[in-house]
Amino acid sequence: MKMSCRLTFRSPKGRWMGALSGQSFRRSVGLFVPPSPPLDPEKIRELQRFVTLSKKLLVMTGAGISTESGIPDYRSENVGLYARTDRRPIQHSEFVGSARIRQRYWARNFVGWPQFSSHQPNPAHWALSNWEKLGKLHWLVTQNVDALHTRAGSRRLTELHGCMHRVLCLECGEQTPRGVLQERFRALNPTWSAEAQGVAPDGDVFLSEEQVQSFQVPACARCGGPLKPDVVFFGGTVSPDKVDFVHRRVGEADSLLVVGSSLQVYSGYRFILTARDKKLPIAIVNIGPTRSDDLACLKLNSRCGELLPLIDPH
């Protein structure tokens, strides 16, 4: 699938303009969701039975739940980043080891942030939040960094890979809201402008090296150290304390539901292996194959936002 995307940011007036193949971003949501078959009534009934029988349900979500909110993912067939381009996400070692790489990352993130931060929860996020309120959902683990579960009201939540809405200092650990950093970027770059030719997951956009050369990156206001989004980049590791915490939640659960994840990344897949070892029933809702299809008692190739609202959590 060929897709062109044009984002322009000009900092003097804080102006944000976007155009996507002649459509607005509001209409672009479906561009990042792969095709799926019609909902199967029998499969819906099977998922309903799975949820009804669950008393302490643990849900793990991935990028596939947020594509319906307009956020692209990496691996979806034909529409994910890997299918659309030959670009690859930034690596942890690259970011921490190179000021030039950090400059490129933050310039691109500066342009992409207004759109990324404006995305809203879709019916799947709201359904899971409702399941929690009604006592069905024991714990929610998300691999996403977009804060959409939080916006939907989920509280029994672990953000396995962190959250793009927070920034931390690599030296002193000081945390600041990402929106505050955006204002610092604007102040440091009053005449800088850039036009992106494509969008990527997690608030990233495509800029040329020439575009980012003059972009100024602020340091930590507290100690002068380098800043990093509070997320786990590819090649990074989830903190052992967080891993242990999630393992304990899996140990308390009586079933596990995967929503919108291919489970290709080990940081999430390991909890499926734990559920298998504990002989928990596993169900998967994801368009396309996953790493754990052979471990699931139920697999549905459906849009999360179409399917989950149909399930009665009582």
Side-chain angles (χ1 to χ4, degrees), residues 18-251:
L20 176 53
S21 300
Q23 300 174 330
S24 70
F25 272 93
R26 183 171 298 175
R27 296 177 59 195
S28 76
V29 171
L31 290 176
F32 303 122
V33 183
S36 60
L39 290 174
D40 181 341
E42 180 57 34
K43 288 283 191 179
I44 296 174
R45 284 191 287 270
E46 290 182 37
L47 182 60
Q48 177 65 70
R49 182 172 184 273
F50 179 91
V51 172
T52 299
L53 292 175
S54 301
K55 303 306 177 187
K56 299 190 76 173
L57 176 65
L58 186 140
V59 176
M60 174 175 289
T61 67
I65 195 174
S66 292
T67 55
E68 293 175 58
S69 290
I71 300 176
D73 68 0
Y74 291 103
R75 296 181 176 84
S76 286
E77 185 176 359
N78 297 324
V79 295
L81 179 73
Y82 296 162
R84 292 186 285 117
T85 77
D86 59 359
R87 298 172 185 264
R88 293 298 180 263
I90 192 168
Q91 298 291 309
H92 175 83
S93 59
E94 296 174 341
F95 186 94
V96 300
S98 169
R100 183 182 63 83
I101 295 294
R102 291 194 294 272
Q103 178 193 41
R104 183 181 69 185
Y105 173 86
W106 282 122
R108 290 161 54 151
N109 190 262
F110 173 61
V111 174
W113 178 252
Q115 180 62 33
F116 180 77
S117 61
S118 72
H119 289 295
Q120 297 299 315
N122 65 57
H125 297 101
W126 291 111
L128 292 176
S129 177
N130 187 49
W131 292 11
E132 177 186 319
K133 290 181 176 67
L134 294 174
K136 173 59 65 175
L137 190 149
H138 175 60
W139 204 262
L140 174 60
V141 180
T142 185
Q143 301 169 86
N144 299 337
V145 296
D146 52 34
L148 293 186
H149 284 300
T150 299
R151 285 188 171 179
S154 293
R155 294 296 177 263
R156 298 179 66 82
L157 169 69
T158 296
E159 295 171 320
L160 190 63
H161 296 149
C163 181
M164 287 292 298
H165 290 253
R166 299 186 299 267
V167 177
L168 60 82
C169 173
L170 291 174
E171 296 291 340
C172 71
E174 176 82 356
Q175 279 196 1
T176 56
R178 176 61 183 80
V180 172
L181 182 61
Q182 191 75 356
E183 296 305 316
R184 295 186 66 197
F185 282 137
R186 289 193 180 105
L188 274 180
N189 299 275
T191 61
W192 186 85
S193 67
E195 186 175 279
Q197 296 302 319
V199 293
D202 303 334
D204 193 16
V205 300
F206 304 150
L207 298 177
S208 69
E209 291 298 324
E210 291 75 19
Q211 287 174 300
V212 307
Q213 283 179 354
S214 63
F215 187 76
Q216 300 297 307
V217 180
C220 173
R222 179 181 178 184
C223 77
L227 299 175
K228 174 185 174 293
D230 189 12
V231 301
V232 178
F233 284 137
F234 281 75
T237 57
V238 179
S239 73
D241 287 346
K242 186 177 289 188
V243 172
D244 289 344
F245 179 87
V246 175
H247 274 306
R248 290 198 298 272
R249 300 294 81 76
V250 175

